[in-house]
Amino acid sequence: MRGYRGIKYTLFICCYVFWVVSAILTAVGIYGKIAKEKDVVDTLTLDPALLLIVVGSAMFLITFLGCFGALRNTTCLLKMFLGILVAVLLLQIAAGVVGYLFTDMVMERTERLMMKAIVRYREDRDLENAIDFIQKKLRCCGVESYKDWSRNVYFECLDTNPSLEACGVPFSCCVGLQNQTVLNTMCGYGVQQLEESSAGQDVFTIGCLQGIALWAKTNLLLVAGLTAGLLLLEVCMIGLAAGQISWIKKVQQLKNEDAPRRRSERKDSYWYPAFADFNDECNSE
Protein backbone atom coordinates (compact mmCIF):
# COMPACT_ATOMS: atom_id res chain seq x y z
CA MET A 1 0.00 0.00 0.00
CA ARG A 2 2.98 2.34 0.45
CA GLY A 3 3.61 2.25 -3.30
CA TYR A 4 -0.04 3.01 -3.96
CA ARG A 5 -0.04 5.97 -1.58
CA GLY A 6 3.17 7.29 -3.12
CA ILE A 7 1.66 7.17 -6.62
CA LYS A 8 -1.60 8.70 -5.43
CA TYR A 9 -0.19 11.69 -3.57
CA THR A 10 2.59 12.36 -6.10
CA LEU A 11 -0.04 12.63 -8.84
CA PHE A 12 -2.25 14.76 -6.61
CA ILE A 13 0.59 17.21 -5.78
CA CYS A 14 1.63 17.55 -9.44
CA CYS A 15 -1.94 18.17 -10.56
CA TYR A 16 -2.55 20.57 -7.67
CA VAL A 17 0.50 22.70 -8.59
CA PHE A 18 -0.59 22.97 -12.23
CA TRP A 19 -4.17 23.58 -11.07
CA VAL A 20 -3.07 26.63 -9.05
CA VAL A 21 -0.88 27.89 -11.92
CA SER A 22 -3.77 27.55 -14.38
CA ALA A 23 -6.09 29.43 -12.01
CA ILE A 24 -3.56 32.28 -11.83
CA LEU A 25 -3.22 32.39 -15.64
CA THR A 26 -6.98 32.49 -16.06
CA ALA A 27 -7.34 35.24 -13.45
CA VAL A 28 -4.62 37.36 -15.10
CA GLY A 29 -6.25 36.89 -18.51
CA ILE A 30 -9.70 37.84 -17.20
CA TYR A 31 -8.27 40.92 -15.46
CA GLY A 32 -6.47 41.95 -18.64
CA LYS A 33 -9.61 41.44 -20.72
CA ILE A 34 -11.78 43.47 -18.33
CA ALA A 35 -9.21 46.26 -18.06
CA LYS A 36 -9.09 46.72 -21.83
CA GLU A 37 -11.22 49.03 -23.87
CA LYS A 38 -14.12 47.54 -25.82
CA ASP A 39 -12.80 48.26 -29.32
CA VAL A 40 -9.72 46.04 -29.23
CA VAL A 41 -8.41 42.94 -30.96
CA ASP A 42 -10.57 39.95 -30.11
CA THR A 43 -8.88 37.02 -31.86
CA LEU A 44 -7.20 34.10 -30.12
CA THR A 45 -3.93 34.31 -32.05
CA LEU A 46 -3.41 38.05 -31.53
CA ASP A 47 -4.95 38.72 -28.11
CA PRO A 48 -2.59 37.71 -25.24
CA ALA A 49 -5.34 38.11 -22.62
CA LEU A 50 -7.76 35.86 -24.52
CA LEU A 51 -4.98 33.33 -25.09
CA LEU A 52 -4.27 33.25 -21.34
CA ILE A 53 -7.95 32.69 -20.57
CA VAL A 54 -8.28 29.80 -23.04
CA VAL A 55 -5.02 28.07 -22.06
CA GLY A 56 -5.61 28.64 -18.34
CA SER A 57 -9.19 27.34 -18.48
CA ALA A 58 -8.15 24.21 -20.39
CA MET A 59 -5.34 23.52 -17.91
CA PHE A 60 -7.71 24.17 -15.00
CA LEU A 61 -10.27 21.61 -16.18
CA ILE A 62 -7.68 18.96 -17.08
CA THR A 63 -5.74 19.25 -13.82
CA PHE A 64 -8.99 19.31 -11.84
CA LEU A 65 -9.82 15.88 -13.27
CA GLY A 66 -6.42 14.56 -12.19
CA CYS A 67 -6.53 16.27 -8.80
CA PHE A 68 -10.01 15.13 -7.79
CA GLY A 69 -9.64 11.71 -9.41
CA ALA A 70 -6.37 11.01 -7.59
CA LEU A 71 -7.67 12.20 -4.22
CA ARG A 72 -11.01 10.35 -4.38
CA ASN A 73 -9.75 7.26 -6.25
CA THR A 74 -12.29 7.85 -9.01
CA THR A 75 -11.31 5.70 -11.98
CA CYS A 76 -13.70 7.51 -14.34
CA LEU A 77 -12.02 10.88 -13.79
CA LEU A 78 -8.56 9.34 -13.87
CA LYS A 79 -9.31 7.65 -17.19
CA MET A 80 -10.53 10.97 -18.64
CA PHE A 81 -7.40 12.69 -17.34
CA LEU A 82 -5.20 9.93 -18.78
CA GLY A 83 -6.93 10.03 -22.17
CA ILE A 84 -6.62 13.82 -22.46
CA LEU A 85 -2.91 13.74 -21.53
CA VAL A 86 -2.20 11.01 -24.07
CA ALA A 87 -4.07 12.99 -26.76
CA VAL A 88 -2.13 16.18 -25.90
CA LEU A 89 1.18 14.29 -25.98
CA LEU A 90 0.41 12.75 -29.38
CA LEU A 91 -0.65 16.15 -30.76
CA GLN A 92 2.60 17.73 -29.57
CA ILE A 93 4.67 14.98 -31.17
CA ALA A 94 2.65 15.25 -34.39
CA ALA A 95 3.10 19.05 -34.43
CA GLY A 96 6.86 18.65 -33.99
CA VAL A 97 7.07 16.14 -36.84
CA VAL A 98 4.93 18.29 -39.15
CA GLY A 99 6.98 21.37 -38.27
CA TYR A 100 10.20 19.53 -39.09
CA LEU A 101 8.94 18.06 -42.36
CA PHE A 102 7.13 21.19 -43.57
CA THR A 103 9.43 23.92 -42.28
CA ASP A 104 8.75 26.27 -45.19
CA MET A 105 4.99 26.09 -44.71
CA VAL A 106 5.33 26.70 -40.96
CA MET A 107 7.59 29.70 -41.55
CA GLU A 108 5.14 31.10 -44.10
CA ARG A 109 2.20 30.81 -41.73
CA THR A 110 4.27 32.34 -38.91
CA GLU A 111 5.16 35.24 -41.19
CA ARG A 112 1.48 35.84 -41.98
CA LEU A 113 0.59 35.81 -38.31
CA MET A 114 3.35 38.28 -37.46
CA MET A 115 2.26 40.55 -40.31
CA LYS A 116 -1.28 40.57 -38.87
CA ALA A 117 0.18 41.54 -35.51
CA ILE A 118 2.01 44.47 -37.11
CA VAL A 119 -1.16 45.64 -38.86
CA ARG A 120 -3.06 45.60 -35.54
CA TYR A 121 -0.32 47.26 -33.52
CA ARG A 122 -1.76 50.05 -31.37
CA GLU A 123 -5.24 48.44 -31.48
CA ASP A 124 -4.48 46.33 -28.41
CA ARG A 125 -2.22 47.46 -25.58
CA ASP A 126 -1.21 43.92 -24.65
CA LEU A 127 -0.31 43.08 -28.26
CA GLU A 128 1.67 46.32 -28.52
CA ASN A 129 3.63 45.53 -25.36
CA ALA A 130 4.30 41.97 -26.57
CA ILE A 131 5.68 43.21 -29.93
CA ASP A 132 7.80 45.86 -28.23
CA PHE A 133 9.21 43.25 -25.83
CA ILE A 134 10.14 40.88 -28.68
CA GLN A 135 11.78 43.63 -30.73
CA LYS A 136 13.82 44.84 -27.76
CA LYS A 137 14.79 41.36 -26.59
CA LEU A 138 15.75 39.98 -30.01
CA ARG A 139 17.09 43.31 -31.31
CA CYS A 140 14.93 43.12 -34.41
CA CYS A 141 12.37 45.25 -36.25
CA GLY A 142 9.39 44.16 -38.33
CA VAL A 143 8.92 40.66 -39.73
CA GLU A 144 11.52 40.51 -42.50
CA SER A 145 12.86 44.06 -42.26
CA TYR A 146 12.15 47.41 -40.63
CA LYS A 147 10.18 48.50 -43.72
CA ASP A 148 7.41 46.02 -42.86
CA TRP A 149 6.05 48.69 -40.51
CA SER A 150 4.66 50.46 -43.56
CA ARG A 151 1.81 47.89 -43.32
CA ASN A 152 0.53 49.71 -40.23
CA VAL A 153 -1.67 52.76 -40.75
CA TYR A 154 0.29 54.83 -38.24
CA PHE A 155 3.68 54.11 -39.85
CA GLU A 156 2.55 53.82 -43.49
CA CYS A 157 5.04 55.65 -45.70
CA LEU A 158 2.72 57.72 -47.89
CA ASP A 159 2.54 61.44 -48.52
CA THR A 160 -1.18 61.30 -47.75
CA ASN A 161 -0.61 59.79 -44.30
CA PRO A 162 -1.34 62.53 -41.72
CA SER A 163 0.28 60.60 -38.84
CA LEU A 164 3.37 62.11 -37.21
CA GLU A 165 4.87 58.61 -37.22
CA ALA A 166 4.53 58.18 -40.98
CA CYS A 167 7.56 56.45 -42.54
CA GLY A 168 8.78 55.63 -39.02
CA VAL A 169 9.05 52.58 -36.76
CA PRO A 170 8.19 52.01 -33.07
CA PHE A 171 10.74 53.13 -30.49
CA SER A 172 11.34 49.46 -29.57
CA CYS A 173 13.24 49.12 -32.87
CA CYS A 174 15.77 51.76 -31.87
CA VAL A 175 19.37 50.92 -31.04
CA GLY A 176 19.92 51.81 -27.40
CA LEU A 177 22.79 54.16 -26.63
CA GLN A 178 25.19 53.52 -23.79
CA ASN A 179 24.46 55.41 -20.56
CA GLN A 180 21.11 56.56 -22.01
CA THR A 181 18.85 57.57 -19.13
CA VAL A 182 15.98 59.21 -21.04
CA LEU A 183 14.06 57.10 -23.58
CA ASN A 184 13.73 58.80 -26.96
CA THR A 185 10.35 57.64 -28.30
CA MET A 186 10.89 59.62 -31.54
CA CYS A 187 14.10 57.86 -32.51
CA GLY A 188 12.42 55.86 -35.28
CA TYR A 189 10.73 58.75 -37.09
CA GLY A 190 11.38 58.79 -40.86
CA VAL A 191 13.65 55.73 -40.76
CA GLN A 192 11.81 53.92 -43.58
CA GLN A 193 12.98 56.57 -46.01
CA LEU A 194 16.61 55.68 -45.30
CA GLU A 195 18.67 52.92 -46.85
CA GLU A 196 19.48 49.90 -44.72
CA SER A 197 23.08 50.96 -44.13
CA SER A 198 22.02 54.40 -42.90
CA ALA A 199 19.00 53.17 -40.95
CA GLY A 200 21.15 50.56 -39.19
CA GLN A 201 22.83 53.32 -37.19
CA ASP A 202 19.55 54.22 -35.48
CA VAL A 203 17.33 51.11 -35.57
CA PHE A 204 17.62 47.34 -35.87
CA THR A 205 17.24 46.33 -39.49
CA ILE A 206 17.01 42.55 -39.09
CA GLY A 207 13.49 41.09 -39.15
CA CYS A 208 12.05 39.39 -36.07
CA LEU A 209 11.31 36.19 -38.02
CA GLN A 210 15.01 35.78 -38.62
CA GLY A 211 15.70 36.94 -35.09
CA ILE A 212 13.52 34.18 -33.62
CA ALA A 213 15.28 31.59 -35.81
CA LEU A 214 18.71 32.85 -34.71
CA TRP A 215 17.66 32.84 -31.05
CA ALA A 216 16.40 29.24 -31.37
CA LYS A 217 19.70 28.14 -32.95
CA THR A 218 21.78 29.98 -30.35
CA ASN A 219 19.74 28.55 -27.46
CA LEU A 220 19.19 25.13 -29.02
CA LEU A 221 20.12 23.27 -25.83
CA LEU A 222 17.73 25.39 -23.76
CA VAL A 223 14.86 24.86 -26.22
CA ALA A 224 15.56 21.12 -26.44
CA GLY A 225 15.83 20.85 -22.65
CA LEU A 226 12.53 22.65 -22.03
CA THR A 227 10.76 20.58 -24.69
CA ALA A 228 12.17 17.31 -23.35
CA GLY A 229 11.32 18.33 -19.77
CA LEU A 230 7.72 19.11 -20.69
CA LEU A 231 7.30 15.81 -22.56
CA LEU A 232 8.94 13.89 -19.70
CA LEU A 233 6.62 15.52 -17.17
CA GLU A 234 3.60 14.58 -19.25
CA VAL A 235 4.86 10.99 -19.59
CA CYS A 236 5.42 10.79 -15.81
CA MET A 237 1.89 12.04 -15.09
CA ILE A 238 0.50 9.55 -17.61
CA GLY A 239 2.43 6.78 -15.86
CA LEU A 240 1.22 7.88 -12.42
CA ALA A 241 -2.40 8.03 -13.57
CA ALA A 242 -2.15 4.61 -15.22
CA GLY A 243 -0.47 3.20 -12.10
CA GLN A 244 -3.18 4.48 -9.78
CA ILE A 245 -5.92 3.09 -12.05
CA SER A 246 -4.17 -0.29 -12.00
CA TRP A 247 -3.90 -0.23 -8.18
CA ILE A 248 -7.59 0.68 -7.81
CA LYS A 249 -8.59 -2.19 -10.07
CA LYS A 250 -6.44 -4.63 -8.07
CA VAL A 251 -7.98 -3.50 -4.78
CA GLN A 252 -11.49 -3.81 -6.21
CA GLN A 253 -10.67 -7.28 -7.54
CA LEU A 254 -9.39 -8.40 -4.14
CA LYS A 255 -12.51 -7.05 -2.47
CA ASN A 256 -14.73 -8.92 -4.92
CA GLU A 257 -12.80 -12.16 -4.35
CA ASP A 258 -12.94 -11.71 -0.58
CA ALA A 259 -16.65 -10.79 -0.50
CA PRO A 260 -18.04 -14.40 -0.22
CA ARG A 261 -15.76 -15.20 2.71
CA ARG A 262 -16.82 -12.04 4.50
CA ARG A 263 -20.47 -12.85 3.97
CA SER A 264 -20.01 -16.32 5.46
CA GLU A 265 -18.12 -14.90 8.43
CA ARG A 266 -20.88 -12.38 8.96
CA LYS A 267 -23.53 -15.13 8.96
CA ASP A 268 -21.47 -17.19 11.42
CA SER A 269 -21.16 -14.18 13.68
CA TYR A 270 -24.97 -13.92 13.78
CA TRP A 271 -25.46 -17.59 14.86
CA TYR A 272 -22.32 -18.26 16.84
CA PRO A 273 -23.33 -16.48 20.11
CA ALA A 274 -26.58 -18.51 20.37
CA PHE A 275 -24.77 -21.82 19.85
CA ALA A 276 -22.06 -20.73 22.23
CA ASP A 277 -24.61 -20.13 25.04
CA PHE A 278 -26.26 -23.49 24.35
CA ASN A 279 -22.92 -25.29 24.61
CA ASP A 280 -22.12 -23.51 27.86
CA GLU A 281 -25.42 -24.66 29.41
CA CYS A 282 -24.84 -28.28 28.36
CA ASN A 283 -21.35 -28.26 29.79
CA SER A 284 -22.60 -26.84 33.11
CA GLU A 285 -25.18 -29.61 33.45
Side-chain angles (χ1 to χ4, degrees), residues 11 22 29 36 70 77 108 117 122 129 139 141 143 158 172 203 215 222 271 276:
L11 178 61
S22 64
K36 288 181 182 180
L77 296 180
E108 183 180 351
R122 294 276 171 83
N129 291 334
R139 301 174 66 85
C141 187
V143 179
L158 293 176
S172 56
V203 298
W215 182 88
L222 176 62
W271 293 101

Side-chain angles (χ1 to χ4, degrees), residues 30-260:
I30 292 173
Y31 173 77
K33 197 68 179 174
I34 294 174
K36 288 181 182 180
E37 298 177 359
K38 292 183 179 180
D39 299 329
V40 295
V41 178
D42 196 20
T43 58
L44 180 60
T45 54
L46 297 178
D47 189 350
L50 186 60
L51 186 62
L52 281 178
I53 293 173
V54 173
V55 173
S57 300
M59 283 181 59
F60 186 87
L61 293 175
I62 294 170
T63 51
F64 174 78
L65 293 175
C67 223
F68 192 78
L71 191 62
R72 302 296 298 175
N73 297 326
T74 309
T75 55
C76 179
L77 296 180
L78 286 173
K79 286 179 180 179
M80 291 176 61
F81 175 72
L82 178 62
I84 293 173
L85 278 187
V86 171
V88 170
L89 180 62
L90 293 176
L91 286 174
Q92 288 175 339
I93 295 173
V97 173
V98 170
Y100 179 76
L101 295 177
F102 303 97
T103 306
D104 295 337
M105 183 182 71
V106 173
M107 294 296 287
E108 183 180 351
R109 289 183 178 273
T110 305
E111 182 181 350
R112 290 178 185 174
L113 180 63
M114 294 175 69
M115 282 294 185
K116 288 181 180 179
I118 282 181
V119 171
R120 297 184 178 182
Y121 185 82
R122 294 276 171 83
E123 294 180 15
D124 188 334
R125 190 66 180 174
D126 291 336
L127 180 62
E128 181 180 342
N129 291 334
I131 293 174
D132 287 337
F133 174 79
I134 292 172
Q135 292 190 146
K136 288 180 182 178
K137 192 70 177 177
L138 300 181
R139 301 174 66 85
C140 60
C141 187
V143 179
E144 293 183 344
S145 72
Y146 63 98
K147 292 188 177 182
D148 291 331
W149 280 102
S150 190
R151 301 284 187 92
N152 186 277
V153 293
Y154 294 95
F155 303 101
E156 190 175 11
C157 197
L158 293 176
D159 294 335
T160 56
N161 188 358
S163 173
L164 294 175
E165 297 174 307
C167 296
V169 294
F171 70 93
S172 56
C173 289
C174 296
V175 178
L177 301 176
Q178 292 183 352
N179 300 325
Q180 184 178 9
T181 56
V182 180
L183 180 64
N184 181 14
T185 58
M186 302 174 63
C187 56
Y189 282 26
V191 171
Q192 293 185 45
Q193 296 175 327
L194 303 176
E195 294 296 329
E196 185 174 347
S197 57
S198 301
Q201 299 177 1
D202 299 321
V203 298
F204 306 120
T205 56
I206 184 176
C208 288
L209 187 63
Q210 184 180 354
I212 292 173
L214 290 174
W215 182 88
K217 291 180 180 179
T218 306
N219 301 275
L220 186 60
L221 292 177
L222 176 62
V223 175
L226 291 175
T227 304
L230 178 61
L231 294 177
L232 182 62
L233 180 62
E234 291 177 0
V235 170
C236 289
M237 295 182 73
I238 289 171
L240 289 171
Q244 185 170 357
I245 292 172
S246 177
W247 271 99
I248 293 172
K249 287 182 178 180
K250 286 181 181 180
V251 172
Q252 289 177 348
Q253 185 178 0
L254 291 174
K255 286 182 178 180
N256 293 333
E257 292 175 355
D258 200 37

Side-chain angles (χ1 to χ4, degrees), residues 272-285:
Y272 180 79
F275 286 110
D277 295 338
F278 176 75
N279 291 331
D280 291 340
E281 291 177 0
C282 291
N283 291 331
S284 64
E285 290 178 355

